[in-house]
Amino acid sequence: MEKVVKPMNGYLALFISIATLALGGYGFSQVETNVFMLWLAIPSLVATIFIWKGIMIIQPNHSRVLNLFGKYVGSVKENGMFFVNPFYTTEKLTLRAQNLATPTLKVNDKMGNPIEIGAVLVWQIQDTYRAAYDVSDYMIYVKTQSEAAVRKLATSFAYDNIEDEHATITLRDGGDKVSEILDQELTARLSTAGIKILESRISHLAYAQEIAGAMLQRQQATAIVAARFKIVEGAVGMVEMALAELSKKQIVELDEEKKAAMVSNLMVVLCGEKGMQPVLNAGSLYQ
């Protein structure tokens, strides 16, 4: 587990190193008159190098993972200049939010249709211990597991509800719900590396090229059928209203045959794609 530590102030260590450096310089300058000053100069210079090696500077939104002879010591998340044991080995980790755009993947959706899908996610390191030691390379781990999560999402839902009419969630119309499911899948996979998902969205979604044309025609046919249904529904209502008004106001008396002819003509006019050309009857109604 991650252990956050706060090392010694680096400015104090820097001041001490300057003092030991000055003391060593003074000792070497007095060697000609007193050879025993070497016992002061050499340790002072060694101490200066020792202190300098332990000084580290941490930039904002960065961290250092400290390790002593194979044992995890702790993580420093504060920014500034610090002094640590010079024998520590350190690993730099950024705590900044990072973007990752997955490549466009070609997979089959729930209904078996080949589709192309890609996603963009925003992530950052939350647990430096896991990022440094629980995976071999957290950058490669994030990329690989993100692609796996997008593949699983694509195979769990249909592209749209043309084939699966009872689907409550589809990739195309799922919106925030699909993003929420993707967030949960990514969080479950990347928590091993101490990664926190800030946001994830589908950035690319389309049918694969080999079926894109056929699916487009199918979508157009579905739209045409839906439009025709509305047109016929409206036309039937208008014909019904016309017959009711003629009968109510007793404008003209029509037998069943003439009603059928009138209904047929009105349906042709109202449901036709192009405007009908009127034909005037100059004789009686029954000619």
Side-chain angles (χ1 to χ4, degrees):
M1 295 295 293
E2 182 184 64
K3 181 173 65 175
V4 179
V5 297
K6 186 175 181 181
M8 174 183 170
N9 190 300
Y11 292 99
L12 177 59
L14 180 63
F15 175 78
I16 295 174
S17 68
I18 294 174
T20 56
L21 179 63
L23 186 61
Y26 173 78
F28 277 111
S29 66
Q30 300 297 319
V31 169
E32 294 182 358
T33 59
N34 188 354
V35 70
F36 291 101
M37 291 299 291
L38 283 174
W39 293 99
L40 175 65
I42 294 177
S44 297
L45 292 180
V46 171
T48 301
I49 297 173
F50 188 83
I51 294 173
W52 283 352
K53 190 177 183 302
I55 292 177
M56 65 179 184
I57 298 175
I58 301 179
Q59 302 295 337
N61 279 331
H62 284 73
S63 66
R64 294 285 187 92
V65 178
L66 308 179
N67 186 294
L68 179 62
F69 303 131
K71 182 180 179 181
Y72 172 68
V73 177
S75 301
V76 183
K77 289 188 172 182
E78 293 186 23
N79 61 291
M81 185 165 64
F82 302 97
F83 174 76
V84 297
N85 189 332
F87 292 107
Y88 285 170
T89 57
T90 64
E91 180 178 353
K92 297 180 181 179
L93 294 177
T94 177
L95 302 179
R96 296 174 180 174
Q98 303 184 63
N99 288 317
L100 174 66
T102 65
T104 300
L105 306 174
K106 185 176 179 180
V107 296
N108 294 333
D109 68 356
K110 183 181 178 181
M111 307 307 296
N113 298 316
I115 63 173
E116 295 178 351
I117 187 172
V120 173
L121 55 143
V122 183
W123 60 277
Q124 67 178 167
I125 295 176
Q126 188 176 38
D127 191 317
T128 56
Y129 174 84
R130 290 185 175 183
Y133 299 117
D134 282 359
V135 293
S136 58
D137 189 320
Y138 70 91
M139 292 294 293
I140 296 177
Y141 187 85
V142 170
K143 181 179 179 181
T144 303
Q145 293 300 321
S146 298
E147 293 181 13
V150 173
R151 286 183 181 275
K152 183 177 180 181
L153 176 72
T155 57
S156 300
F157 301 98
Y159 179 88
D160 53 28
N161 55 6
I162 292 179
E163 293 187 2
D164 190 0
E165 296 180 354
H166 302 290
T168 56
I169 300 176
T170 62
L171 296 174
R172 189 179 69 175
D173 300 328
D176 293 337
K177 185 62 178 178
V178 173
S179 298
E180 181 182 347
I181 295 172
L182 181 58
D183 281 347
Q184 294 173 356
E185 182 66 23
L186 288 168
T187 299
R189 291 175 176 270
L190 299 180
S191 60
T192 303
I195 303 299
K196 178 182 179 182
I197 299 299
L198 302 179
E199 183 183 7
S200 63
R201 295 283 177 181
I202 293 179
S203 59
H204 176 79
L205 182 64
Y207 281 112
Q209 292 183 357
E210 57 265 30
I211 66 167
M215 287 299 178
L216 178 60
Q217 292 179 354
R218 185 171 184 174
Q219 291 175 353
Q220 291 174 343
T222 303
I224 291 174
V225 170
R228 287 294 180 185
F229 178 81
K230 290 294 183 182
I231 292 174
V232 171
E233 186 180 24
V236 170
M238 293 175 68
V239 171
E240 182 181 7
M241 182 180 63
L243 292 175
E245 288 297 319
L246 288 173
S247 176
K248 179 180 178 181
K249 295 181 179 180
Q250 298 181 350
I251 296 175
V252 61
E253 292 292 336
L254 299 176
D255 58 21
E256 295 300 321
E257 182 180 353
K258 291 303 179 182
K259 284 183 179 181
M262 179 179 177
V263 170
S264 177
N265 292 335
L266 285 174
M267 291 298 292
V268 170
V269 171
L270 294 174
C271 297
E273 292 184 1
K274 298 181 180 179
M276 298 292 106
Q277 296 296 326
V279 178
L280 299 178
N281 187 2
S284 66
L285 184 63
Y286 292 93
Q287 290 181 347

